[in-house]
Amino acid sequence: MTESLHTPVPQQVEILIIGAGPAGAVAAALLRQQGRQVLVIEREQFPRFSIGESLLPQSMAYLEQAGMLKAVVEAGFQFKNGAAFMRDGCYTDFDFRDKHSAGWGTTYQVQRADFDHVLAKEAERFGAEVRYRHEVLDVELARPQGGSRVTVKAPDGANYQVDAGFILDASGFGRVLPRLLKLETPSNFPVRGAIFTHIEDGIRGAGFDRNKIRVTVHPKHCDVWFWTIPFAGGRCSLGVVAETSFLDQYQGTPTERLRAIVGEEPSLLALLAEAKWDTPARQIVGYSANVEKLWGPGYALLGNAGEFLDPVFSSGVTIAFKSASLAAAALQRQFAGETVDWQADFGAPLRKGVDTFRAFVESWYAGGFQRIIFHDKQQPEVKRMISSILAGYAWDQSNPFVKETPRRLAALEALCTPT
């Protein structure tokens, strides 16, 4: 950890990254491979808790590109090869190794505190400077003399300034630049919340596949669902997602409310019969977010700082990595003196995949995608195409469900809807 340098002249840096989470760490490593000078400003001290533990196989390609794969593999996280779904006692699953798209078919389920710390340390290993417990307070973009000036608060409370050639905002739900630059726009999703915790799950026997995340639908409300994400060592992440009007019906502490809602789903209640609820639950509300644009003069927004859809398909880290990869490629060309069209090279391609995920999220909550995955006559090739998207390959234009997402989904929903 490097503390603040109190000098009267602002520090000069080629690229300043706000946030040392997955997007920031991968971007830092990719940029250091290009020889760029990188400073990362992180408000928290790592390791720190974060939600979003189930990775998608597509993310492995970006870890490999960033030179971080070996560190992640050696960290001992829970192996993951797919996703399972439960509704009214019916079970279906997707094996991500059996998919339409080429590429990784396996990944990990991770405690994010440890995973994010591994990535941040790898970014430092590549030569990025990471300043923990430093907070960005203000940004003056595109100054006449060039670059942007960033005001930062050090751990001792003193402010200092950094002049940056370019800024990448990877601040996640902190959404630093969207707040400072007033870029935020309302999400078109209803206001939903999540109550979640980590437990010693006590799951025994062969009836539960620890290599897959399990998504369980509430028996009476198709738009209320639970995640069960197994970790190595007999623990798991457990949470429920619903509109806030549903969650607000339940009284007590977050743990008491979560246990009460779990008690309404018989298969999940039975699965966790021996669980030890040893960690207080937490709640987040209104996490879906959007922005007017993903880039501007001298900056780009990565991952959740730009847009967060919904946790149902675990797409957040994959989108974060994709945005980091696109931004690093654009910056490589820009620093080489080329003219970069940030909309064509970053904004538009990033949104293509995000919009594919969005269509699937919308279909999930409307019930159409649930009818598809629980349909008793699934076509193997169509299932492989869907498996690819659930595995994170939402940018693969060879997949008809990526190339023509709304039309293909609507047609399949109609086919799977009882007459």
Side-chain angles (χ1 to χ4, degrees):
M1 181 180 73
T2 306
E3 295 295 342
S4 162
L5 301 176
H6 298 290
T7 58
V9 178
Q11 179 185 351
Q12 304 281 333
V13 66
E14 287 184 310
I15 299 168
L16 185 142
I17 299 176
I18 307 172
V26 165
L30 292 172
L31 291 164
R32 283 298 303 144
Q33 291 173 24
Q34 299 172 18
R36 303 269 67 87
Q37 180 195 17
V38 178
L39 172 63
V40 183
I41 300 297
E42 169 55 52
R43 185 178 61 182
E44 306 292 337
Q45 177 65 56
F46 280 25
R48 54 87 178 96
F49 178 84
S50 182
I51 198 68
E53 300 99 340
S54 195
L55 306 182
L56 301 183
Q58 169 73 95
S59 64
M60 302 295 281
Y62 301 116
L63 290 171
E64 192 170 27
Q65 179 188 12
M68 296 175 165
L69 185 59
K70 182 174 182 290
V72 172
V73 169
E74 292 179 350
F77 296 118
Q78 170 66 46
F79 179 78
K80 175 185 175 182
N81 61 21
F85 298 86
M86 284 284 297
R87 187 184 69 178
D88 291 333
C90 297
Y91 176 92
T92 187
D93 64 23
F94 290 81
D95 187 331
F96 292 157
R97 296 164 296 185
D98 184 16
K99 65 186 189 315
H100 169 86
S101 303
W104 284 83
T106 62
T107 185
Y108 297 100
Q109 294 168 159
V110 301
Q111 291 96 330
R112 283 286 303 279
D114 298 332
F115 177 73
D116 291 9
H117 198 199
V118 167
L119 300 193
K121 288 189 293 185
E122 285 293 284
E124 289 183 291
R125 182 176 68 84
F126 278 103
E129 180 184 358
V130 181
R131 296 182 183 174
Y132 296 106
R133 297 188 297 120
H134 289 237
E135 181 179 4
V136 171
L137 300 179
D138 192 26
V139 175
E140 181 187 354
L141 290 173
R143 302 164 69 235
Q145 54 270 60
S148 301
R149 178 158 291 180
V150 181
T151 301
V152 183
K153 183 171 74 173
D156 62 5
N159 293 348
Y160 65 97
Q161 293 179 320
V162 179
D163 288 346
F166 201 90
I167 302 171
L168 294 176
D169 186 351
S171 59
F173 292 123
R175 301 171 61 77
V176 172
L177 288 188
R179 285 189 296 101
L180 292 175
L181 304 179
K182 296 179 170 53
L183 300 175
E184 295 177 306
T185 60
S187 170
N188 63 338
F189 289 138
V191 178
R192 295 191 176 96
I195 308 175
F196 52 89
T197 189
H198 289 179
I199 60 175
E200 183 179 327
D201 56 62
I203 300 172
R204 305 287 184 266
F208 181 67
D209 187 349
R210 299 196 73 89
N211 295 330
K212 293 178 175 64
I213 180 178
R214 179 174 293 195
V215 173
T216 306
V217 182
H218 191 282
K220 294 183 179 179
H221 307 278
C222 75
D223 61 343
V224 178
W225 61 276
F226 306 86
W227 76 69
T228 312
I229 303 173
F231 297 140
R235 298 187 65 78
C236 77
S237 175
L238 172 69
V240 62
V241 173
E243 292 189 28
T244 52
S245 57
F246 177 88
L247 298 176
D248 289 345
Q249 300 175 86
Y250 298 84
Q251 303 299 314
T253 66
T255 300
E256 291 168 339
R257 296 165 68 204
L258 178 57
R259 295 192 72 161
I261 303 171
V262 168
E264 297 176 357
E265 209 300 309
S267 68
L268 191 56
L269 185 63
L271 185 70
L272 301 176
E274 303 299 322
K276 295 181 180 179
W277 295 66
D278 53 8
T279 305
R282 308 182 187 204
Q283 179 173 350
I284 55 173
V285 174
Y287 43 74
S288 295
N290 204 349
V291 290
E292 293 178 356
K293 54 185 180 179
L294 293 170
W295 62 275
Y299 75 89
L301 309 179
L302 306 185
N304 294 347
E307 182 167 5
F308 182 74
L309 296 173
D310 190 272
V312 64
F313 299 129
S314 305
S315 60
V317 172
T318 299
I319 293 172
F321 287 165
K322 178 69 173 182
S323 66
S325 178
L326 288 170
L331 283 169
Q332 183 171 30
R333 293 176 49 218
Q334 186 163 300
F335 276 93
E338 298 181 36
T339 299
V340 174
D341 183 335
W342 276 86
Q343 180 58 23
D345 296 339
F346 176 77
L350 181 58
R351 282 206 187 273
K352 283 183 180 179
V354 172
D355 287 345
T356 296
F357 281 125
R358 183 195 310 281
F360 276 77
V361 169
E362 290 174 343
S363 180
W364 168 269
Y365 282 106
F369 187 63
Q370 294 182 33
R371 290 193 295 274
I372 291 171
I373 62 175
F374 288 107
H375 196 263
D376 58 1
K377 295 180 181 178
Q378 297 183 12
Q379 302 174 30
E381 182 54 34
V382 171
K383 185 172 184 178
R384 283 192 286 272
M385 293 175 186
I386 293 173
S387 183
S388 287
I389 293 169
L390 296 180
Y393 294 90
W395 292 267
D396 178 11
Q397 291 292 309
S398 75
N399 186 342
F401 282 87
V402 173
K403 190 173 183 179
E404 304 175 305
T405 308
R407 187 179 74 82
R408 292 280 182 166
L409 259 182
L412 193 54
E413 287 175 15
L415 187 66
C416 296
T417 301
T419 56

